[in-house]
Every structure is written in structure tokens, then in C-alpha cells.
């Protein structure tokens, strides 16, 4: 991979727009606004707001990958979203850094979480993002795939192999809605 391709999606690397690929010959799980490569045993957990699925958490083994797609605007491009997330995480006292890895510029952080009522702990996360034609795709990796030194190929493969179908718009306007796959 060349350095330029790491910083931004290009001809050889996804995520893809549905207008860029012929999906008829691809094995993909259709989640409405996002299609993803299948994986044996992958579990789908929807994130719903007011009856709409606005994100989905995919779980494979000990790794979780939450995907959410947005219509591109000045506020919803990866550079702006990344800077905003880093600022908020740091204000909350979390450890945050950016690195360049397989999915381009990503956030790696150790964040505070509620482990049970009245108790807190920490969790390692990675946040991946990519701008496409008219959209931005964000993924939050947690679990073993986000641990320091961890390199969960499934999370990267799923993110980079995702296809975004911008036509599924939320009533809120900036979120690309999803649905659970037909099994």
C-alpha cells in the first residue's frame, strides 16, 4: 500500500459506494444503507432511535464493530468528525491518539465506561472513518480487536469491504438508515 492510499479511500481500497461496484457477484449481507462481507457466526445488534435503525453492531468472537453511515456535510466528513471525537474524549480525561493504519487515519483511545451500576472501568476502542461520494462511514471497534497491539483482521476486512447505499435516509436527514438482514 502506498501512503496516499492509507490517508483516504481510493481506487483499490474501500469502503465503497454502491455506484462504484457491481454487487450482483459479491457475497454481502444487506443491512439496507450498508452492505458488509459475511463472517461465520457474526451477530447483528441494531441501534434504534425512534423506531429507526441508525447503526448496527456486528460481533465476531471477542470483537465488536459498530457501523454508522451519514450523509456528507461540512459537519459529517471524517476529518471534522475525528477532530470533534478526539476533543470530546480528551475533555472527558480519556487517553487518545491518532495513527495511520489499514483503514487510514484512525483514533485509538482508552475510554471510561460504566461496568456496573456505580462502578467505572476503561475500554480500549478504535474509531475508523472514511469519506465517500456524498457520505461518511464511521466504525467503532471494541473488544479484543481494539486492544493495544491487537490487529483484528475481521474488523478491518469488514470496514474496508463495506458498501454504502446512500438511498436509505433517516427522517432525521443526516443518518443513512439500516435494517437487520433477512436470514
Amino acid at each position: 500500500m502506498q501512503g496516499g492510499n492509507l490517508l483516504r479511500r481510493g481506487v483499490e481500497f474501500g469502503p465503497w459506494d454502491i455506484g462504484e461496484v457491481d454487487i450482483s457477484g459479491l457475497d454481502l449481507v444487506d443491512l439496507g444503507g450498508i452492505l458488509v462481507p459475511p463472517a461465520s457466526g457474526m451477530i447483528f445488534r441494531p441501534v434504534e432511535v425512534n423506531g429507526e435503525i441508525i447503526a448496527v453492531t456486528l460481533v465476531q468472537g471477542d470483537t465488536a464493530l459498530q457501523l454508522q453511515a451519514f450523509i456528507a456535510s461540512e459537519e459529517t466528513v471524517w476529518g471534522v468528525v475525528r477532530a470533534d471525537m478526539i476533543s470530546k474524549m480528551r475533555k472527558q480525561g480519556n487517553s487518545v491518539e491518532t495513527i495511520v493504519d489499514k483503514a487510514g487515519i484512525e483514533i485509538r483511545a482508552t475510554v471510561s465506561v460504566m461496568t456496573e451500576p456505580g462502578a467505572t472501568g476503561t475500554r480500549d476502542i478504535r474509531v475508523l472513518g472514511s469519506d465517500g461520494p456524498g457520505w461518511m462511514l464511521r466504525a467503532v471497534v471494541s473488544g479484543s480487536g481494539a486492544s493495544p497491539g491487537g490487529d483484528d483482521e475481521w474488523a478491518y476486512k469488514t470496514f474496508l469491504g463495506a458498501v454504502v447505499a446512500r438511498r436509505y435516509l433517516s427522517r432525521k436527514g443526516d443518518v443513512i438508515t439500516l435494517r437487520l438482514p433477512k436470514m
Side-chain angles (χ1 to χ4, degrees), residues 36-169:
V36 296
S40 177
M42 185 166 59
I43 298 168
F44 302 87
R45 294 185 180 142
V47 177
E48 289 187 56
V49 173
N50 298 325
E52 287 185 311
I53 300 175
I54 62 164
V56 66
T57 301
L58 309 174
V59 180
Q60 176 69 23
D62 294 332
T63 299
L65 175 71
Q66 185 180 86
L67 295 170
Q68 188 170 25
F70 302 88
I71 297 301
S73 71
E74 288 181 11
E75 294 84 31
T76 56
V77 292
W78 179 228
V80 172
V81 169
R82 185 177 62 243
D84 185 52
M85 290 181 79
I86 290 168
S87 175
K88 287 178 181 175
M89 286 183 208
R90 286 187 175 145
K91 283 180 183 173
Q92 294 170 352
N94 297 305
S95 169
V96 183
E97 67 178 334
T98 58
I99 66 157
V100 176
D101 208 333
K102 296 176 186 105
I105 301 172
E106 66 182 61
I107 300 169
R108 291 198 183 172
T110 301
V111 296
S112 298
V113 295
M114 293 289 291
T115 56
E116 57 187 67
T120 59
T122 61
R123 176 183 304 162
D124 293 316
I125 64 168
R126 294 182 188 202
V127 186
L128 317 176
S130 182
D131 296 315
W135 52 260
M136 190 271 299
L137 179 64
R138 182 185 68 202
V140 179
V141 182
S142 59
S144 64
S147 62
D151 185 17
D152 192 305
E153 286 298 319
W154 168 77
Y156 284 115
K157 179 182 176 189
T158 302
F159 178 76
L160 294 172
V163 177
V164 177
R166 188 177 165 211
R167 64 183 174 257
Y168 296 93
L169 299 178

